[in-house]
């Protein structure tokens, strides 16, 4: 930690100075890359993320997150060692994409609804691609194969759930978030407890609707400005590195590594590009020479989607800064998720690959849009994920009562 603090500042300064010099040498490509990055932010990221940032802030203020969290406790705590409010974060993230989980986790941490260790577990497995991008952009747009969406989705989100189960062992000795004691409040029936938690949270917040909406919009705009700036910076960085020939050296180095692992050397470009920026890497994986089997291209895309790229890592780190949550567990979880997703694709391929005629309608045209027109479908996905989690939590609560009825009776 001391070494990181000592050398982090000078290293960042040297990197930015190097980038500035390359921009001076290649001003044209740098300008064009900045414009492209700004277009991606405005046309794709802003409409897909901004509404969810505002909605989540409003739901926190109204206590709806506390209500849902209480209902999801029987499922989230035994499986992931995370309070039920983490289920709301998971649903929002699976529906809307990468930075949302970090934003909501930081809010839960700010309100002391989760501990540091629980927050690290939560953001580690809920940082995922949104289905609109996975289906519409990657499967339909890049690969031109809607049947590929099912395999990619199972590998990506299945890998995320496995990471969540593995992360339950992260800091095993850390105490969980204490359950508040409600004197004179309704006990026993979980729905009454959830309503009581929502009411208490609303009274504690106390902001009127207009003020809550205003602050939610301001907070969302501030975060979107940070996200946009990082997207532009990484877009310029990749362009000038490619123009200067530095990326070529990275490609050559990774080709030797892939060859030693008996993997197609042609995947070097997607892996290098995806290491920095997820969209570039996913697009490059689909454009690999035709001699590479489709299963390897899909596995590379699943790896890149799960790693998420240093651009997303920078967004997450900037959001988590000041919350006490550490970046290292997140980075390790991303690497594990990437490896798991990449391995799951060939394992699932005989069962769900395009040749099996499974998931024929998975890449429906309704999910292939981008921008504001995709928001209703993302909202529908959010509701479906929440409904599924609530059903699982209901069954989990019933099983727990049947498994240990004596303890529950004594608690009452």
């Amino acid at each position: 930690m001391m070494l990181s603090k000592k050398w982090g500042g000078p290293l960042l300064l040297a990197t930015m100075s190097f980038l500035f010099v390359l921009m001076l040498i290649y001003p044209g490509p740098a300008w064009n890359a900045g414009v492209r990055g700004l277009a991606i932010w405005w046309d794709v990221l802003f409409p897909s993320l901004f509404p969810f940032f505002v909605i989540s802030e409003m739901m926190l203020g109204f206590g709806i997150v506390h209500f849902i969290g209480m209902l999801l406790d029987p499922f989230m705590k035994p499986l992931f060692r995370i309070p039920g409010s983490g289920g709301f974060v998971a649903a929002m993230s699976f529906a809307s994409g990468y930075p949302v989980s970090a934003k909501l986790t930081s809010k839960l941490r700010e309100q002391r609804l989760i501990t540091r260790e629980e927050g690290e577990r939560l953001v580690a497995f809920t940082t995922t691609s949104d289905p609109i991008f996975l289906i519409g952009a990657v499967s339909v747009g890049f690969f031109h194969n809607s049947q590929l969406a099912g395999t990619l989705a199972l590998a990506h989100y299945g890998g995320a759930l496995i990471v969540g189960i593995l992360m339950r062992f992260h800091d095993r000795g850390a105490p969980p978030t204490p359950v508040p004691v409600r004197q004179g409040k309704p006990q026993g029936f979980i729905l009454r407890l959830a309503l009581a938690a929502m009411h208490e949270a609303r009274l504690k917040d106390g902001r009127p609707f207009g003020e809550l909406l205003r602050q939610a919009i301001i907070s969302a705009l501030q975060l979107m400005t940070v996200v946009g700036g990082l997207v532009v910076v990484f877009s310029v960085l990749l362009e000038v590195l490619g123009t200067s020939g530095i990326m070529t050296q990275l490609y050559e180095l990774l080709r030797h590594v892939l060859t030693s692992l008996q993997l197609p050397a042609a995947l070097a470009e997607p892996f290098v590009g995806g290491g920095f920026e997820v969209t570039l890497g996913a697009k490059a994986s689909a454009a690999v020479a035709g001699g590479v089997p489709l299963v390897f291209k899909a596995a590379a895309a699943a790896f890149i989607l799960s790693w998420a790229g240093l651009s997303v890592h920078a967004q997450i780190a900037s959001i988590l800064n000041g919350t006490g949550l550490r970046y290292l567990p997140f980075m390790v979880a991303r690497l594990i998720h990437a490896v798991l997703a990449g391995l799951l694709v060939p394992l699932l391929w005989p069962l769900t690959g395009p040749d099996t005629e499974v998931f024929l309608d998975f890449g429906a045209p309704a999910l292939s849009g981008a921008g504001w027109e995709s928001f209703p479908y993302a909202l529908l996905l959010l509701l479906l994920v929440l409904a599924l989690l609530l059903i699982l939590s209901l069954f989990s609560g019933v099983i727990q009562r049947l498994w240990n009825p004596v303890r529950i009776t004594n608690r009452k």
Side-chain angles (χ1 to χ4, degrees):
M1 182 64 68
M2 292 298 295
L3 185 64
S4 175
K5 291 181 179 179
K6 181 178 180 180
W7 295 104
L11 183 60
L12 179 61
L13 179 61
T15 303
M16 297 306 296
S17 300
F18 179 66
L19 174 60
F20 181 68
V21 171
L22 288 178
M23 290 173 61
L24 292 178
I25 298 174
Y26 307 104
W31 171 264
N32 293 331
V35 172
R36 286 198 303 271
L38 192 61
I40 291 173
W41 173 75
W42 179 252
D43 294 334
V44 179
L45 296 179
F46 193 93
S48 63
L49 295 178
F50 178 76
F52 283 98
F53 286 148
V54 175
I55 290 173
S56 61
E57 192 89 14
M58 297 287 289
M59 294 179 78
L60 275 166
F62 282 118
I64 298 175
V65 174
H66 303 72
F67 173 79
I68 296 175
M70 184 65 69
L71 295 179
L72 293 180
D73 251 10
F75 176 70
M76 297 298 295
K77 279 188 175 178
L79 191 60
F80 302 113
R81 289 182 64 207
I82 293 172
S85 54
F88 173 79
V89 176
M92 290 288 287
S93 179
F94 288 169
S96 54
Y98 296 111
V100 172
S101 66
K103 169 67 172 176
L104 292 179
T105 301
S106 66
K107 282 292 183 181
L108 295 182
R109 177 68 178 145
E110 182 181 302
Q111 297 187 10
R112 300 185 181 275
L113 296 176
I114 56 174
T115 64
R116 184 185 73 170
E117 293 75 20
E118 289 170 342
E120 290 171 351
R121 295 181 199 129
L122 180 58
V123 76
F125 87 93
T126 56
T127 301
T128 62
S129 170
D130 65 281
I132 304 297
F133 177 75
L134 187 148
I135 297 172
V138 179
S139 301
V140 178
F142 298 158
F143 280 92
H144 307 289
N145 190 339
S146 62
Q147 296 181 41
L148 192 63
T151 303
L152 286 179
L154 284 176
H156 182 62
Y157 297 111
L161 293 177
I162 295 174
V163 170
I165 295 174
L166 293 176
M167 285 298 292
R168 77 185 308 276
F169 300 104
H170 169 62
D171 279 352
R172 296 183 63 179
T177 301
V179 179
V181 179
R182 297 182 173 89
Q183 298 294 336
K185 298 295 181 180
Q187 299 292 325
F189 187 43
I190 192 170
L191 184 59
R192 286 188 295 173
L193 293 174
L195 289 172
M198 181 175 69
H199 180 65
E200 289 179 6
R202 180 57 189 148
L203 291 178
K204 185 177 180 180
D205 185 277
R207 289 174 292 176
F209 176 81
E211 180 64 15
L212 184 60
L213 178 61
R214 184 186 71 84
Q215 293 184 9
I217 292 175
I218 291 175
S219 176
L221 286 174
Q222 289 175 341
L223 182 55
M224 288 307 305
T225 302
V226 173
V227 171
L230 289 170
V231 169
V232 171
V233 167
F234 274 88
S235 179
V236 173
L237 174 64
L238 286 172
E239 183 65 28
V240 294
L241 288 178
T243 306
S244 64
I246 296 177
M247 294 289 281
T248 305
Q249 303 300 320
L250 294 176
Y251 296 154
E252 191 61 31
L253 177 62
L254 190 55
R255 286 191 187 99
H256 291 298
V257 175
L258 291 174
T259 302
S260 65
L261 295 175
Q262 298 184 347
L263 295 173
L267 295 176
E269 184 173 346
F271 279 129
V272 172
F276 288 94
E277 208 283 316
V278 62
T279 305
L280 178 67
K283 187 174 183 179
S285 65
V288 170
V292 178
L294 180 60
V295 62
F296 285 107
K297 298 180 184 180
F303 182 98
I304 292 164
L305 287 169
S306 302
W307 167 250
L310 292 178
S311 176
V312 172
H313 284 233
Q315 296 171 30
I316 301 296
S318 66
I319 295 171
L320 297 183
N321 184 36
T323 64
L325 304 183
R326 295 165 292 186
Y327 169 72
L328 183 59
F330 170 80
M331 186 186 70
V332 173
R334 290 298 89 231
L335 185 59
I336 295 174
H337 187 192
V339 173
L340 284 174
L343 292 176
L344 282 173
V345 169
L347 290 177
L348 293 169
W349 199 260
L351 302 174
T352 64
D355 295 335
T356 61
E357 297 185 357
V358 179
F359 300 123
L360 286 176
D361 298 323
F362 200 90
L367 294 176
S368 303
W372 290 107
E373 64 269 20
S374 67
F375 175 69
Y377 307 109
L379 190 60
L380 177 61
L381 286 170
L382 168 63
L383 296 176
L384 290 175
V385 174
L386 276 177
L388 176 61
L389 289 175
L390 288 171
I391 292 172
L392 291 174
S393 185
L394 174 64
F395 279 107
S396 179
V398 171
I399 292 173
Q400 291 175 42
R401 285 178 176 271
L402 294 175
W403 185 264
N404 200 353
V406 176
R407 181 180 176 185
I408 295 175
T409 303
N410 292 336
R411 189 192 308 169
K412 291 182 181 181

Short mmCIF file of all heavy atoms in Angstrom, two decimals, residues 60-104:
data_model
loop_
_atom_site.label_atom_id
_atom_site.label_comp_id
_atom_site.label_asym_id
_atom_site.label_seq_id
_atom_site.Cartn_x
_atom_site.Cartn_y
_atom_site.Cartn_z
N LEU A 60 -33.72 4.93 -3.70
CA LEU A 60 -33.03 4.96 -2.41
C LEU A 60 -33.68 5.98 -1.48
O LEU A 60 -33.90 5.71 -0.29
CB LEU A 60 -31.56 5.31 -2.61
CG LEU A 60 -30.62 4.14 -2.94
CD1 LEU A 60 -29.28 4.67 -3.44
CD2 LEU A 60 -30.42 3.27 -1.72
N GLY A 61 -33.99 7.16 -2.02
CA GLY A 61 -34.60 8.20 -1.22
C GLY A 61 -35.98 7.83 -0.71
O GLY A 61 -36.35 8.19 0.42
N PHE A 62 -36.75 7.13 -1.51
CA PHE A 62 -38.11 6.73 -1.12
C PHE A 62 -38.13 5.48 -0.25
O PHE A 62 -39.20 5.07 0.22
CB PHE A 62 -38.99 6.52 -2.35
CG PHE A 62 -39.48 7.78 -2.97
CD1 PHE A 62 -39.14 8.11 -4.26
CD2 PHE A 62 -40.28 8.67 -2.26
CE1 PHE A 62 -39.59 9.28 -4.85
CE2 PHE A 62 -40.74 9.84 -2.83
CZ PHE A 62 -40.39 10.16 -4.12
N GLY A 63 -36.98 4.83 -0.07
CA GLY A 63 -36.93 3.63 0.76
C GLY A 63 -37.30 2.36 0.03
O GLY A 63 -37.39 1.29 0.66
N ILE A 64 -37.49 2.43 -1.29
CA ILE A 64 -37.87 1.24 -2.04
C ILE A 64 -36.75 0.22 -2.04
O ILE A 64 -37.00 -1.00 -1.99
CB ILE A 64 -38.27 1.63 -3.48
CG1 ILE A 64 -39.48 2.57 -3.45
CG2 ILE A 64 -38.59 0.40 -4.31
CD1 ILE A 64 -39.88 3.10 -4.80
N VAL A 65 -35.50 0.69 -2.08
CA VAL A 65 -34.36 -0.23 -2.02
C VAL A 65 -34.36 -0.99 -0.69
O VAL A 65 -34.06 -2.19 -0.64
CB VAL A 65 -33.04 0.54 -2.22
CG1 VAL A 65 -31.84 -0.38 -2.02
CG2 VAL A 65 -32.99 1.17 -3.60
N HIS A 66 -34.69 -0.30 0.40
CA HIS A 66 -34.75 -0.95 1.71
C HIS A 66 -35.87 -1.99 1.74
O HIS A 66 -35.72 -3.06 2.34
CB HIS A 66 -34.98 0.10 2.80
CG HIS A 66 -33.94 1.18 2.83
ND1 HIS A 66 -33.87 2.16 1.85
CD2 HIS A 66 -32.93 1.43 3.71
CE1 HIS A 66 -32.86 2.97 2.14
NE2 HIS A 66 -32.28 2.56 3.24
N PHE A 67 -36.99 -1.67 1.10
CA PHE A 67 -38.12 -2.60 1.01
C PHE A 67 -37.72 -3.86 0.26
O PHE A 67 -37.92 -4.99 0.74
CB PHE A 67 -39.29 -1.90 0.31
CG PHE A 67 -40.46 -2.78 0.02
CD1 PHE A 67 -41.37 -3.11 1.01
CD2 PHE A 67 -40.65 -3.29 -1.26
CE1 PHE A 67 -42.47 -3.94 0.74
CE2 PHE A 67 -41.73 -4.10 -1.54
CZ PHE A 67 -42.64 -4.43 -0.54
N ILE A 68 -37.13 -3.68 -0.93
CA ILE A 68 -36.71 -4.82 -1.75
C ILE A 68 -35.60 -5.60 -1.04
O ILE A 68 -35.57 -6.83 -1.07
CB ILE A 68 -36.25 -4.35 -3.14
CG1 ILE A 68 -37.43 -3.72 -3.90
CG2 ILE A 68 -35.66 -5.50 -3.94
CD1 ILE A 68 -37.05 -3.10 -5.23
N GLY A 69 -34.70 -4.86 -0.39
CA GLY A 69 -33.60 -5.51 0.30
C GLY A 69 -34.06 -6.44 1.39
O GLY A 69 -33.52 -7.55 1.56
N MET A 70 -35.07 -6.03 2.15
CA MET A 70 -35.60 -6.89 3.21
C MET A 70 -36.22 -8.15 2.62
O MET A 70 -36.06 -9.25 3.16
CB MET A 70 -36.64 -6.13 4.03
CG MET A 70 -37.17 -6.89 5.23
SD MET A 70 -35.91 -7.21 6.48
CE MET A 70 -35.63 -5.55 7.10
N LEU A 71 -36.90 -8.03 1.48
CA LEU A 71 -37.51 -9.19 0.85
C LEU A 71 -36.48 -10.15 0.27
O LEU A 71 -36.72 -11.35 0.19
CB LEU A 71 -38.47 -8.73 -0.27
CG LEU A 71 -39.70 -7.92 0.16
CD1 LEU A 71 -40.52 -7.52 -1.06
CD2 LEU A 71 -40.56 -8.73 1.14
N LEU A 72 -35.33 -9.61 -0.16
CA LEU A 72 -34.31 -10.45 -0.80
C LEU A 72 -33.29 -11.00 0.19
O LEU A 72 -32.41 -11.78 -0.21
CB LEU A 72 -33.58 -9.64 -1.88
CG LEU A 72 -34.40 -9.25 -3.10
CD1 LEU A 72 -33.54 -8.46 -4.08
CD2 LEU A 72 -34.96 -10.49 -3.80
N ASP A 73 -33.39 -10.62 1.45
CA ASP A 73 -32.44 -11.10 2.46
C ASP A 73 -32.34 -12.63 2.53
O ASP A 73 -31.23 -13.17 2.61
CB ASP A 73 -32.83 -10.56 3.84
CG ASP A 73 -31.84 -9.49 4.30
OD1 ASP A 73 -31.00 -9.06 3.50
OD2 ASP A 73 -31.91 -9.10 5.48
N PRO A 74 -33.45 -13.38 2.50
CA PRO A 74 -33.36 -14.84 2.63
C PRO A 74 -32.59 -15.50 1.50
O PRO A 74 -32.12 -16.64 1.66
CB PRO A 74 -34.83 -15.29 2.62
CG PRO A 74 -35.60 -14.09 3.07
CD PRO A 74 -34.85 -12.92 2.52
N PHE A 75 -32.45 -14.83 0.36
CA PHE A 75 -31.73 -15.41 -0.78
C PHE A 75 -30.30 -14.91 -0.85
O PHE A 75 -29.35 -15.70 -1.05
CB PHE A 75 -32.46 -15.07 -2.09
CG PHE A 75 -31.73 -15.54 -3.32
CD1 PHE A 75 -31.63 -16.88 -3.61
CD2 PHE A 75 -31.15 -14.63 -4.20
CE1 PHE A 75 -30.95 -17.33 -4.74
CE2 PHE A 75 -30.49 -15.06 -5.33
CZ PHE A 75 -30.39 -16.41 -5.61
N MET A 76 -30.08 -13.62 -0.68
CA MET A 76 -28.76 -13.04 -0.89
C MET A 76 -27.78 -13.40 0.23
O MET A 76 -26.60 -13.66 -0.03
CB MET A 76 -28.87 -11.51 -1.00
CG MET A 76 -29.68 -11.03 -2.19
SD MET A 76 -28.97 -11.50 -3.79
CE MET A 76 -27.43 -10.59 -3.77
N LYS A 77 -28.24 -13.41 1.47
CA LYS A 77 -27.31 -13.65 2.59
C LYS A 77 -26.74 -15.06 2.60
O LYS A 77 -25.53 -15.24 2.73
CB LYS A 77 -28.00 -13.33 3.92
CG LYS A 77 -28.01 -11.85 4.24
CD LYS A 77 -28.53 -11.58 5.63
CE LYS A 77 -28.43 -10.09 5.97
NZ LYS A 77 -28.96 -9.78 7.31
N PRO A 78 -27.56 -16.13 2.48
CA PRO A 78 -26.97 -17.47 2.51
C PRO A 78 -26.07 -17.76 1.31
O PRO A 78 -25.07 -18.46 1.44
CB PRO A 78 -28.20 -18.40 2.52
CG PRO A 78 -29.34 -17.54 2.93
CD PRO A 78 -29.02 -16.17 2.42
N LEU A 79 -26.42 -17.24 0.14
CA LEU A 79 -25.70 -17.60 -1.08
C LEU A 79 -24.46 -16.74 -1.30
O LEU A 79 -23.38 -17.24 -1.64
CB LEU A 79 -26.63 -17.48 -2.29
CG LEU A 79 -26.09 -18.07 -3.61
CD1 LEU A 79 -25.80 -19.56 -3.45
CD2 LEU A 79 -27.09 -17.85 -4.74
N PHE A 80 -24.59 -15.42 -1.11
CA PHE A 80 -23.50 -14.50 -1.43
C PHE A 80 -22.90 -13.79 -0.21
O PHE A 80 -21.95 -13.03 -0.36
CB PHE A 80 -23.98 -13.44 -2.42
CG PHE A 80 -24.52 -14.01 -3.71
CD1 PHE A 80 -25.87 -13.89 -4.03
CD2 PHE A 80 -23.69 -14.67 -4.60
CE1 PHE A 80 -26.37 -14.40 -5.22
CE2 PHE A 80 -24.18 -15.19 -5.79
CZ PHE A 80 -25.52 -15.06 -6.10
N ARG A 81 -23.48 -13.99 0.97
CA ARG A 81 -23.07 -13.27 2.19
C ARG A 81 -23.14 -11.75 1.96
O ARG A 81 -22.23 -11.01 2.28
CB ARG A 81 -21.65 -13.68 2.61
CG ARG A 81 -21.56 -15.08 3.16
CD ARG A 81 -20.16 -15.42 3.61
NE ARG A 81 -19.76 -14.56 4.73
CZ ARG A 81 -18.49 -14.25 4.98
NH1 ARG A 81 -17.53 -14.68 4.20
NH2 ARG A 81 -18.20 -13.49 6.02
N ILE A 82 -24.25 -11.33 1.39
CA ILE A 82 -24.52 -9.92 1.10
C ILE A 82 -25.94 -9.62 1.55
O ILE A 82 -26.84 -10.45 1.37
CB ILE A 82 -24.38 -9.63 -0.41
CG1 ILE A 82 -22.92 -9.80 -0.84
CG2 ILE A 82 -24.85 -8.24 -0.77
CD1 ILE A 82 -22.73 -9.73 -2.34
N PRO A 83 -26.21 -8.44 2.14
CA PRO A 83 -27.59 -8.10 2.51
C PRO A 83 -28.51 -8.09 1.30
O PRO A 83 -28.06 -7.97 0.15
CB PRO A 83 -27.45 -6.70 3.12
CG PRO A 83 -26.03 -6.59 3.55
CD PRO A 83 -25.25 -7.42 2.58
N GLY A 84 -29.80 -8.17 1.56
CA GLY A 84 -30.77 -8.22 0.48
C GLY A 84 -30.72 -7.02 -0.45
O GLY A 84 -31.09 -7.13 -1.63
N SER A 85 -30.29 -5.85 0.06
CA SER A 85 -30.19 -4.68 -0.81
C SER A 85 -29.22 -4.91 -1.96
O SER A 85 -29.32 -4.28 -3.01
CB SER A 85 -29.73 -3.46 0.00
OG SER A 85 -28.53 -3.74 0.70
N GLY A 86 -28.29 -5.88 -1.79
CA GLY A 86 -27.40 -6.23 -2.89
C GLY A 86 -28.14 -6.86 -4.05
O GLY A 86 -27.68 -6.80 -5.20
N GLY A 87 -29.28 -7.48 -3.79
CA GLY A 87 -30.08 -8.04 -4.87
C GLY A 87 -30.63 -6.96 -5.78
O GLY A 87 -30.71 -7.14 -7.01
N PHE A 88 -31.00 -5.82 -5.19
CA PHE A 88 -31.44 -4.68 -6.01
C PHE A 88 -30.30 -4.20 -6.89
O PHE A 88 -30.49 -3.89 -8.08
CB PHE A 88 -31.93 -3.56 -5.11
CG PHE A 88 -32.25 -2.29 -5.83
CD1 PHE A 88 -33.43 -2.14 -6.53
CD2 PHE A 88 -31.36 -1.23 -5.81
CE1 PHE A 88 -33.72 -0.97 -7.21
CE2 PHE A 88 -31.63 -0.05 -6.47
CZ PHE A 88 -32.81 0.08 -7.18
N VAL A 89 -29.09 -4.12 -6.33
CA VAL A 89 -27.92 -3.70 -7.10
C VAL A 89 -27.67 -4.67 -8.25
O VAL A 89 -27.39 -4.26 -9.39
CB VAL A 89 -26.68 -3.61 -6.20
CG1 VAL A 89 -25.43 -3.28 -7.01
CG2 VAL A 89 -26.89 -2.56 -5.12
N ALA A 90 -27.76 -5.97 -7.97
CA ALA A 90 -27.55 -6.98 -9.01
C ALA A 90 -28.56 -6.83 -10.14
O ALA A 90 -28.21 -6.89 -11.33
CB ALA A 90 -27.61 -8.38 -8.41
N ALA A 91 -29.83 -6.64 -9.79
CA ALA A 91 -30.86 -6.49 -10.82
C ALA A 91 -30.63 -5.26 -11.67
O ALA A 91 -30.73 -5.30 -12.90
CB ALA A 91 -32.24 -6.44 -10.16
N MET A 92 -30.31 -4.14 -11.03
CA MET A 92 -30.06 -2.90 -11.78
C MET A 92 -28.85 -3.06 -12.68
O MET A 92 -28.85 -2.60 -13.84
CB MET A 92 -29.83 -1.75 -10.80
CG MET A 92 -31.06 -1.30 -10.05
SD MET A 92 -32.25 -0.41 -11.08
CE MET A 92 -31.42 1.15 -11.31
N SER A 93 -27.81 -3.71 -12.18
CA SER A 93 -26.59 -3.86 -12.97
C SER A 93 -26.78 -4.80 -14.14
O SER A 93 -26.33 -4.53 -15.26
CB SER A 93 -25.45 -4.36 -12.08
OG SER A 93 -24.27 -4.53 -12.82
N PHE A 94 -27.43 -5.94 -13.91
CA PHE A 94 -27.65 -6.89 -14.99
C PHE A 94 -28.52 -6.28 -16.10
O PHE A 94 -28.41 -6.67 -17.26
CB PHE A 94 -28.33 -8.16 -14.46
CG PHE A 94 -27.42 -9.01 -13.63
CD1 PHE A 94 -27.92 -10.07 -12.90
CD2 PHE A 94 -26.06 -8.77 -13.56
CE1 PHE A 94 -27.08 -10.87 -12.12
CE2 PHE A 94 -25.22 -9.54 -12.79
CZ PHE A 94 -25.74 -10.61 -12.07
N ALA A 95 -29.36 -5.33 -15.74
CA ALA A 95 -30.25 -4.72 -16.73
C ALA A 95 -29.61 -3.53 -17.44
O ALA A 95 -29.92 -3.27 -18.60
CB ALA A 95 -31.55 -4.27 -16.07
N SER A 96 -28.69 -2.81 -16.77
CA SER A 96 -28.22 -1.54 -17.34
C SER A 96 -26.72 -1.46 -17.58
O SER A 96 -26.27 -0.55 -18.25
CB SER A 96 -28.64 -0.38 -16.43
OG SER A 96 -28.19 -0.60 -15.11
N GLY A 97 -25.92 -2.38 -17.05
CA GLY A 97 -24.52 -2.41 -17.44
C GLY A 97 -23.52 -1.95 -16.40
O GLY A 97 -23.86 -1.65 -15.27
N TYR A 98 -22.27 -1.90 -16.85
CA TYR A 98 -21.09 -1.86 -15.99
C TYR A 98 -21.07 -0.87 -14.82
O TYR A 98 -21.02 -1.31 -13.68
CB TYR A 98 -19.84 -1.61 -16.86
CG TYR A 98 -19.55 -2.72 -17.83
CD1 TYR A 98 -19.68 -2.54 -19.19
CD2 TYR A 98 -19.13 -3.96 -17.37
CE1 TYR A 98 -19.40 -3.56 -20.08
CE2 TYR A 98 -18.86 -4.99 -18.25
CZ TYR A 98 -18.99 -4.79 -19.62
OH TYR A 98 -18.73 -5.80 -20.50
N PRO A 99 -21.09 0.46 -15.01
CA PRO A 99 -20.77 1.31 -13.85
C PRO A 99 -21.88 1.39 -12.82
O PRO A 99 -21.66 1.91 -11.72
CB PRO A 99 -20.52 2.69 -14.48
CG PRO A 99 -20.58 2.50 -15.96
CD PRO A 99 -21.32 1.25 -16.20
N VAL A 100 -23.08 0.91 -13.15
CA VAL A 100 -24.23 1.10 -12.26
C VAL A 100 -24.01 0.42 -10.91
O VAL A 100 -24.35 0.97 -9.86
CB VAL A 100 -25.51 0.58 -12.94
CG1 VAL A 100 -26.68 0.58 -11.96
CG2 VAL A 100 -25.84 1.44 -14.15
N SER A 101 -23.44 -0.79 -10.92
CA SER A 101 -23.27 -1.51 -9.67
C SER A 101 -22.34 -0.76 -8.71
O SER A 101 -22.59 -0.72 -7.50
CB SER A 101 -22.71 -2.91 -9.93
OG SER A 101 -21.39 -2.84 -10.46
N ALA A 102 -21.28 -0.17 -9.25
CA ALA A 102 -20.36 0.58 -8.40
C ALA A 102 -21.05 1.81 -7.80
O ALA A 102 -20.85 2.14 -6.62
CB ALA A 102 -19.13 1.01 -9.19
N LYS A 103 -21.86 2.49 -8.61
CA LYS A 103 -22.58 3.67 -8.12
C LYS A 103 -23.53 3.29 -6.99
O LYS A 103 -23.56 3.95 -5.93
CB LYS A 103 -23.35 4.30 -9.28
CG LYS A 103 -24.35 5.37 -8.90
CD LYS A 103 -23.67 6.61 -8.36
CE LYS A 103 -24.68 7.74 -8.17
NZ LYS A 103 -24.05 8.93 -7.56
N LEU A 104 -24.31 2.23 -7.18
CA LEU A 104 -25.28 1.83 -6.16
C LEU A 104 -24.58 1.26 -4.92
O LEU A 104 -25.02 1.50 -3.79
CB LEU A 104 -26.24 0.79 -6.74
CG LEU A 104 -27.19 1.31 -7.83
CD1 LEU A 104 -28.07 0.19 -8.33
CD2 LEU A 104 -28.04 2.45 -7.31
#
